[in-house]
Structures are given as structure tokens and as C-alpha cells.
Amino acid sequence: MSQTGIPLNRHIMEQQKDYPEATGDFTGLLTQIALAAKIISREVNKAGLVNILGFTGEKNVQGEAVKKLDIFANEKMIEALTYSGHVCIMGSEEDAEPIALPPEAPRGDYAVMFDPLDGSSNIEAAITIGTIFSIHRRISSGADGTLEDLLQPGHQQAAAGYVVYGSSTMLVYTTGNGVDGFTLDPSVGEFLLSHPNIRTPERGSTYSANEGNYQYWHPEMQCYMDHIHEKDPASKRPYASRYVGSLVADFHRTLLYGGVFLYPADSKDPKTPTGKLRLLYEASPLAMVIQEAGGKASTGTENILDVQPNKLHQRVPLVIGSRAEVELAEEFFQGNR
Ligand code: AHM
Ligand code: MG
């Protein structure tokens, strides 16, 4: 039973009690992710000070060269997981290849993927950014994890979630048993349960998309966008527009308030005809969260959780949010409107 205010660790342990076969690995894994999130949150909060204090290109107080925040976040995620004993392989949006464990690190049963700092183009402007993570049970049987452990469809995720570094820092996750949100209390350094059992409204009247791409969108997306711009008070159209340009921030708002976020396929860059967002680091984990909250995620024609990945950095069109809003967009994408 969820109790507002309890620390993340206790919440995870209480949830695990429902699974007598649970080994505690999972609790340890999420605890390590939360630890990395606290360290990243601390650095994000002082990002603007780096130049003022003259650290750039020099050494920080620990004598380490100061790094770009996205590289720093990537290193913290990898460090937190490498020696946890719960992981056999990792994948990061920042690394072209799967991240193997060093020989001395203990091996565990999980494959973890993450976007360490999503929305990184917003860092310099103190705009909300985030970390997204996806956890699979390994399916390979050797000592080390393999690419096969990472290339699993989203419906096989054991857990997924994200951290949003905004006006407060929040960690939201699901293990397939509802979605819970925790707010970091910086004074005690703990994530405390603030949003138990999050449910996404069935409908919403807010859309979130980079409309600057309108001329590059395919006709079905243009028709959908024209539709939600029409004046029809009965269906709350025209919808309101909100776009931060950090997926985590746009997603988090959509999860809580309802509506729809879209990053469709477009013809902008012939090298990325399937849109911009990554299946394994962005779309798939957020799809598990939204589905557990009663919403839906789609490519426009297929449930995101059913997409079989064929490469680590695969991109995918994404329509995600309130169930009825995603289904309305799907009708356009599938040519039924
Ligand atoms: P990033 O992983 O390099 O930060 O890029 C992903 C980001 C998402 O957070 C956001 O939804 C999208 O890119 C915004 O793209 P655009 O600037 O094309 O609107
Ligand atoms: Mg990203």
C-alpha cells in the first residue's frame, strides 16, 4: 500500500515483499539509479555556476577536469551501475556500442539502458532536463550480457522510469504495477513518495510537438495537426500548445495533466526518416510508464511496446499520452480520417 512521504528505498522494498521470489537485486538496482540521479541533480542545479567560477577547462575541487554535463551524467550512471552486482550489460545514448562490465565487476541479471541527460540542448538555459532508464532481465546465458539482452521489445521491460530535473527533482518509475512519483527533498537527500499511483487523464486538450517541422511532416501528421487547430468547443479544440523541447519535461507534463506529445517521422533529414527519438532510451521506457498510468504510446501505426528493436540506437516516431488522444492521432496516421 502506497504511503505518501515514505522514502523511495522503503517503497521499493515494500513492493518487493509482494514477490517472494525477489532476491533484492531489483531494490539494489533502483537504489543505484536513484543515487546517480541525486548526484546528477546536484550538478544540474549548479550548472550555470561553472563558467562564473572559472572551472571550465580547469580542475574542479576534486582535482578532476570539469566535464560537459551530459558526459558527467553518463559517467555517473555507468559508475553507479557497474559495480552494483545487478547488471550484466548497459547501453547509453551517449555510447555508440553496448557498455560491457570490466572483468573484476560482479555480474548480475539485468540489462540497463539510459539516456543520461535528455534535452541536453536546454542545459545552458536552465530549462528542465532529465534522465530516462529502461531495465530488462537478461535473456542470454553466458557470463557477460550481450546485445541480445539490450534488443528486447518494450513489453519485456522489467521496469522503466525517468528523473526530471525541474523546479524540483522528481523520479518516476514503474515495475509493471502502476506508476509512482518521488520528489527529492534536498535537505535530507532522499526521494520521498509524492505522487502515488499516477493515472493519466483519459483525454486531454494539450498537444506538444515541434511545429517548426510542419513543412517536413508527412501529410497524415499535417492533417492531424490541422484537425486539432480547428475550432470546435465541444471537443475542446483548438488544443493548447506546450513544447519545452526536453522530452522528459514534455512527457512528465503530459503524464500528469493529459494530452499528447508527438515527434513523428519527417523528411527533414534523409538519414533519420523515422524521426528523432530513440526507441530504447526514450520511447520504450516512457511507453511502459504511460501504459501503466492508463495512457498509450504508438508509432502512429504500432504500439511502441511491440516494436522489435534491430539496433541499439534505433529511432522511432512517437505519439504518447492520454489514450483517447493517441488513438485519435492513430486514426489520422492510419488513414482512417
Ligand atoms: P537529445 O537526446 O540530444 O537531448 O535529443 C532529444 C530531445 C528530446 O528531449 C526532445 O523531445 C527533442 O530532442 C527535441 O527535438 P527538437 O529540438 O527537434 O524539437
Ligand atoms: Mg534524449
Side-chain angles (χ1 to χ4, degrees):
M1 184 66 189
S2 293
Q3 291 167 287
T4 303
I6 68 167
L8 174 64
N9 257 8
R10 212 177 106 200
H11 177 82
I12 302 168
M13 283 190 290
E14 286 187 7
Q15 275 204 333
Q16 293 291 290
K17 274 192 209 145
D18 297 339
Y19 301 93
E21 72 282 8
T23 56
D25 277 14
F26 206 69
T27 309
L29 190 52
L30 284 170
T31 303
Q32 288 304 105
I33 291 175
L35 171 65
K38 287 182 211 170
I39 297 169
I40 298 167
S41 177
R42 186 191 67 201
E43 294 301 305
V44 165
N45 283 326
K46 61 184 191 195
L49 292 173
V50 170
N51 288 331
I52 298 169
L53 300 178
F55 282 161
T56 311
E58 299 170 21
K59 306 274 176 175
N60 68 13
V61 282
Q62 281 89 32
E64 301 161 324
V66 172
K67 307 203 172 76
K68 282 182 67 192
L69 205 48
D70 43 3
I71 306 299
F72 174 86
N74 193 37
E75 288 182 359
K76 290 300 147 195
M77 287 294 286
I78 295 170
E79 277 169 30
L81 295 168
T82 296
Y83 291 97
S84 67
H86 308 306
V87 168
C88 60
I89 193 160
M90 292 173 275
S92 166
E93 204 199 271
E94 294 286 341
D95 289 88
E97 301 297 329
I99 304 164
L101 300 188
E104 71 279 12
R107 269 60 179 158
D109 289 333
Y110 292 96
V112 183
M113 283 167 285
F114 43 86
D115 180 353
L117 210 56
D118 173 66
S120 45
S121 65
N122 280 326
I123 295 172
E124 305 285 314
I127 296 171
T128 298
I129 47 185
T131 299
I132 310 174
F133 59 90
S134 162
I135 302 174
H136 282 276
R137 278 185 199 86
R138 66 178 302 171
I139 48 178
S140 67
S141 51
D144 288 316
T146 66
L147 185 59
E148 184 195 6
D149 297 313
L150 299 172
L151 298 185
Q152 300 187 56
H155 62 77
Q156 282 170 215
Q157 287 171 109
Y162 59 91
V163 186
V164 54
Y165 311 107
S167 49
S168 55
T169 293
M170 271 192 75
L171 186 151
V172 175
Y173 83 99
T174 180
T175 55
N177 186 21
V179 178
D180 294 297
F182 299 78
T183 301
L184 181 63
D185 180 341
S187 64
V188 292
E190 287 276 12
F191 282 104
L192 304 178
L193 182 62
S194 53
H195 295 63
N197 194 22
I198 297 172
R199 303 296 298 167
T200 296
E202 175 64 20
R203 313 193 84 87
S205 51
T206 301
Y207 72 97
S208 190
N210 182 346
E211 273 185 278
N213 290 333
Y214 186 94
Q215 296 303 330
Y216 299 108
W217 284 341
H218 299 312
E220 53 275 25
M221 174 65 183
Q222 292 175 332
C223 289
Y224 167 72
M225 201 41 74
D226 295 343
H227 173 79
I228 60 177
H229 283 166
E230 280 168 13
K231 195 168 159 193
D232 177 38
S235 57
K236 300 214 167 123
R237 288 178 291 151
Y239 287 3
S241 168
R242 297 282 184 278
Y243 192 69
V244 175
S246 288
L247 175 62
V248 167
D250 284 315
F251 175 80
H252 187 59
R253 183 198 56 248
T254 305
L255 175 76
L256 295 181
Y257 298 168
V260 61
F261 171 92
L262 306 101
Y263 209 113
D266 60 41
S267 60
K268 195 172 182 181
D269 181 353
K271 292 201 291 292
T272 56
T274 52
K276 178 176 183 185
L277 300 176
R278 309 307 207 290
L279 173 61
L280 294 171
Y281 311 112
E282 294 168 326
S284 201
L286 298 184
M288 182 178 184
V289 173
I290 202 86
Q291 193 151 307
E292 279 297 316
K296 189 171 179 182
S298 169
T299 62
T301 54
E302 186 180 9
N303 190 314
I304 289 284
L305 295 174
D306 292 335
V307 177
Q308 174 61 53
N310 50 42
K311 59 177 185 186
L312 206 47
H313 292 271
Q314 186 168 336
R315 295 176 196 261
V316 73
L318 178 63
V319 183
I320 192 165
S322 294
R323 179 164 292 275
E325 303 308 328
V326 173
E327 286 173 356
L328 173 66
E330 282 179 321
E331 283 184 35
F332 281 87
F333 280 91
Q334 292 168 17
N336 298 331
R337 292 283 285 244

